[in-house]
Amino acid sequence: NKKVSIVIPVYKAADTITRCVKSLEKNTYKNLQIILVEDCSGDQTINICKKLANTYDNVLCIENDQNHGVSYTRNRALDKAHGDYVMFVDSDDFLARRAIERMMDVVQREHCDIVACGYVMDFGLFPLFRKVAPKKTMTSLEALHNMVSNKGVNNYPWAKLFSKKCFDNVRFPSGTRGFEDTRTIFKAFHNAKKVCTIPNRYYHYVQRRGSLTNHMDLDTVYDMRKAYEYQEAYLHKLYPDEKFSFDSNYYNSDMVIL
């Protein structure tokens, strides 16, 4: 039974982190290492994290010395992760009870390095069911093409189970304001041999007011475009003979800018 390390960056999550951790503890897959990295919230969050670490043997609580942002925080957790597999869960989100077991089943059955599942956008009483990807097995290159053209594979770190070796030489960039995922997750896909998508909505992506994706200003949208430009240039270096079509990403960001 392989170990799965769950990476949870925690910032001002006093209201949600307990639900998040309990959803993992209630999972039918038991061999978990749960890593909470508390990013100097300056409120009750750190006490709740310490309490969770005292309550559950498999929860590790790490405290940042100052507020460093989500990239540094995730990287710190990755450095402490000793599982064979890694999942990212945000501190206000939660997982369905059989999520990890079912995703690990896919890993073993298909011999893949990454499994991406569907998600529910959780607005409290009114969940939103966005279109999910079909059940599919791809090479890493096929998955990257689908990611770039937004066909069933996205840049989010969450709702995915990664073989730990996908992150051997991959870390999130500190010092970017947002869209660190767009600069990072594709590199983990490049390190994979085989990628699977499944349509099951195992991840609950909780929508709250004030999160980055709900609060776009002009600088943020320019950052988004820069992140796509970075991804395109990097992929061009990795695969000089491949044509990746970023048109829809640039079109979308340019429309938002306009």
Side-chain angles (χ1 to χ4, degrees):
N1 198 339
K2 304 270 194 198
K3 178 166 278 191
V4 179
S5 294
I6 313 278
V7 167
I8 310 178
V10 187
Y11 181 67
K12 292 194 186 297
D15 296 341
T16 57
I17 188 60
T18 303
R19 175 182 65 184
C20 176
V21 170
K22 280 188 172 168
S23 82
L24 298 166
E25 293 293 348
K26 282 181 189 147
N27 248 263
T28 50
Y29 196 88
K30 291 305 178 198
N31 195 3
L32 301 179
Q33 175 198 24
I34 299 169
I35 309 165
L36 310 178
V37 183
E38 206 282 332
D39 196 21
C40 260
S41 304
D43 60 9
Q44 281 303 306
T45 305
I46 185 60
N47 299 330
I48 296 167
C49 288
K50 284 177 177 167
K51 191 177 162 194
L52 288 163
N54 287 331
T55 307
Y56 301 107
D57 292 344
N58 61 345
V59 175
L60 173 67
C61 172
I62 302 168
E63 207 173 341
N64 283 347
D65 56 342
Q66 62 188 69
N67 178 251
H68 284 287
V70 72
S71 285
Y72 176 95
T73 304
R74 281 196 187 122
N75 291 343
R76 251 196 112 181
L78 278 171
D79 293 340
K80 294 282 186 202
H82 54 244
D84 306 280
Y85 292 86
V86 178
M87 282 185 95
F88 297 90
V89 178
D90 285 351
S91 57
D92 36 8
D93 298 341
F94 59 98
L95 284 190
R97 203 173 137 266
R98 303 196 68 173
I100 302 168
E101 180 196 350
R102 291 286 167 80
M103 290 170 86
M104 283 299 287
D105 285 347
V106 175
V107 162
Q108 273 139 13
R109 195 169 60 242
E110 304 290 342
H111 304 292
C112 54
D113 302 302
I114 300 174
V115 183
C117 69
Y119 62 92
V120 180
M121 289 183 84
D122 228 300
F123 291 88
L125 293 171
F126 306 102
L128 179 64
F129 298 100
R130 298 282 286 270
K131 198 172 156 229
V132 288
K135 190 174 176 199
K136 197 171 180 187
T137 305
M138 298 163 268
T139 64
S140 73
L141 185 57
E142 287 167 336
L144 285 165
H145 274 293
N146 286 337
M147 179 186 274
V148 166
S149 52
N150 298 305
K151 292 193 178 121
V153 181
N154 59 47
N155 286 289
Y156 302 134
W158 42 261
K160 295 174 181 68
L161 176 73
F162 297 89
S163 169
K164 177 74 168 22
K165 60 179 189 288
C166 293
F167 282 90
D168 275 356
N169 52 351
V170 173
R171 287 297 181 267
F172 292 86
S174 292
T176 56
R177 274 191 44 200
F179 305 98
E180 66 292 322
D181 315 343
T182 307
R183 297 164 189 264
T184 310
I185 294 304
F186 77 96
K187 297 175 188 173
F189 272 74
H190 166 68
N191 286 342
K193 286 191 176 69
K194 204 168 169 189
V195 177
C196 289
T197 54
I198 54 173
N200 315 65
R201 301 175 199 275
Y202 290 140
Y203 192 93
H204 287 260
Y205 177 38
V206 178
Q207 299 299 294
R208 67 190 197 291
R209 293 171 72 167
S211 71
L212 178 66
T213 34
N214 291 336
H215 184 78
M216 292 287 236
D217 58 14
L218 202 53
D219 286 344
T220 311
V221 189
Y222 278 120
D223 283 344
M224 179 164 88
R225 200 181 202 290
K226 272 190 226 130
Y228 285 131
E229 285 165 1
Y230 171 86
Q231 193 182 98
E232 184 177 27
Y234 203 103
L235 282 171
H236 185 66
K237 269 205 294 254
L238 289 175
Y239 304 97
D241 301 331
E242 287 291 319
K243 170 93 180 77
F244 290 95
S245 170
F246 276 82
D247 297 352
S248 70
N249 293 323
Y250 292 139
Y251 176 79
N252 292 341
S253 29
D254 292 346
M255 283 328 246
V256 179
I257 289 169
L258 286 172

